[in-house]
Amino acid sequence: MTGPLGRRRFIGAAAALGGAALAGPLAPLAQARPAGAPSPGAPSAGTPASGAPSSAARWPDSLATPPGFQPEGIAVSARGVAYTGSLIDGSIYRADLATGTGRILTRGQGPQSVGLKLDAYGRLLVAGGASGQIRVVHSGDGRVLATHQAVTGTGFVNDVVVGCGGAWFTDSFGDVLYFLPAGRELTGPGAAPRALRIGGEWVPVPPGGEYWGANGIERTPDGRALLVVHDTAQALFRIDPGSGVATRTVLDGGSVGNGDGLVVHGRTLYVVRNWSYAVDVFTLSGDGRRARFVRQITDPRFDEPTTAAVYGDRLYVVNARFDADWSDPATASTIVSCPL
């Protein structure tokens, strides 16, 4: 990631100031959720949800997040409910894709919310950024069900994917992934995350938190391995979830430079390239060892986009707006919808 006021500088300041010092109080909601609206269902897991509309042309093409809420990650349920977390204080916002209405689900108390995903039980698994934490949150009522300390000291728990036996989290300052096993119980003493050291062709990150390594994470189309984009190396890696051995994915055209969030939809890979203000689209081999560039999505509404999710025939892209003045409590952002 590049730029005079890039993500590194903002996140470092947020960690040093405890997040809350960078913004005023959050607005309680962008627009009230309609009474009787359906509760969130199971996650779409990167594929079109059962019952998802074939066309969302009449749905809002942009969703506003509340003032003072800087979004980063996104998860979408099978019923079209989107969740995003705030880099400022860790609050989580829930919005209906069909109407654009939403509300704060969980009001944060300091630790950031970066990447997040829904698991098969409707729980939000949230990467806690510089806090080193992983949080498990009830997607219906916003209760924090568990908080795990994945790393102490220099670390940045950045993104998460559900697959390959559980939930996998990246650490951008360490050559490691954190794993939570799949299952109904993620809150007991046996549910602590375990670390998997990344090796093989992986490019090690110098210690100290000055350089960023692992960022976005996804599953390969065959579901047998993980894909991780490396920020400093500007490369995509396939990682064996059993051994941690990484092999560089061969790109046939295109670039993953400034790569942030990843989305795998069937055999299609979407790479959100924040400071490139674009989403690059590739066709993957089943095992994730090769990726052929197809096209690039650009949109004048992109404003340091970070992550994305597929629902129906649309790609929902989160604008983190790293260069905005988040010390102003009126500053806000958007999630924008693009055709696949």
Side-chain angles (χ1 to χ4, degrees), residues 276-314:
S276 299
Y277 296 82
V279 178
D280 278 25
V281 185
F282 299 82
T283 297
L284 286 167
S285 62
D287 59 9
R289 297 180 186 274
R290 300 191 67 90
R292 177 176 57 84
F293 178 70
V294 176
R295 62 191 175 99
Q296 184 178 83
I297 301 172
T298 58
D299 192 301
R301 298 172 299 164
F302 288 172
D303 196 351
E304 285 93 56
T306 48
T307 58
V310 169
Y311 187 76
D313 58 0
R314 311 290 290 184

Side-chain angles (χ1 to χ4, degrees), residues 82-108:
Y83 301 85
T84 186
S86 174
L87 287 175
I88 294 174
D89 71 349
S91 293
I92 295 174
Y93 180 71
R94 179 173 68 180
D96 190 323
L97 297 181
T99 65
T101 59
R103 64 180 177 86
I104 294 292
L105 174 69
T106 298
R107 190 169 297 281

Side-chain angles (χ1 to χ4, degrees), residues 151-167:
V151 58
T152 57
T154 302
F156 192 91
V157 185
N158 196 329
D159 204 1
V160 55
V161 69
V162 177
C164 297

Side-chain angles (χ1 to χ4, degrees), residues 21 33 61 82 94 98 118 129 136 138 159 199 222 260 268 284 317:
R33 183 178 178 87
D61 63 4
R94 179 173 68 180
L118 284 157
V136 182
H138 192 289
D159 204 1
D222 64 11
D260 203 327
T268 302
L284 286 167
V317 181

Side-chain angles (χ1 to χ4, degrees), residues 41-165:
S44 58
T47 59
S50 174
S54 60
S55 174
R58 292 177 293 178
W59 288 18
D61 63 4
S62 181
L63 290 79
T65 53
F69 182 107
Q70 186 185 17
E72 205 278 352
I74 187 171
V76 179
S77 80
R79 296 185 180 182
V81 177
Y83 301 85
T84 186
S86 174
L87 287 175
I88 294 174
D89 71 349
S91 293
I92 295 174
Y93 180 71
R94 179 173 68 180
D96 190 323
L97 297 181
T99 65
T101 59
R103 64 180 177 86
I104 294 292
L105 174 69
T106 298
R107 190 169 297 281
Q109 298 179 349
Q112 299 163 315
S113 291
V114 194
L116 72 171
K117 289 295 186 294
L118 284 157
D119 71 3
Y121 300 98
R123 299 170 297 200
L124 286 165
L125 308 176
V126 184
S131 72
Q133 294 179 353
I134 293 168
R135 299 195 306 280
V136 182
V137 178
H138 192 289
S139 63
D141 60 24
R143 284 178 295 130
V144 178
L145 303 174
T147 300
H148 301 291
Q149 192 68 45
V151 58
T152 57
T154 302
F156 192 91
V157 185
N158 196 329
D159 204 1
V160 55
V161 69
V162 177
C164 297

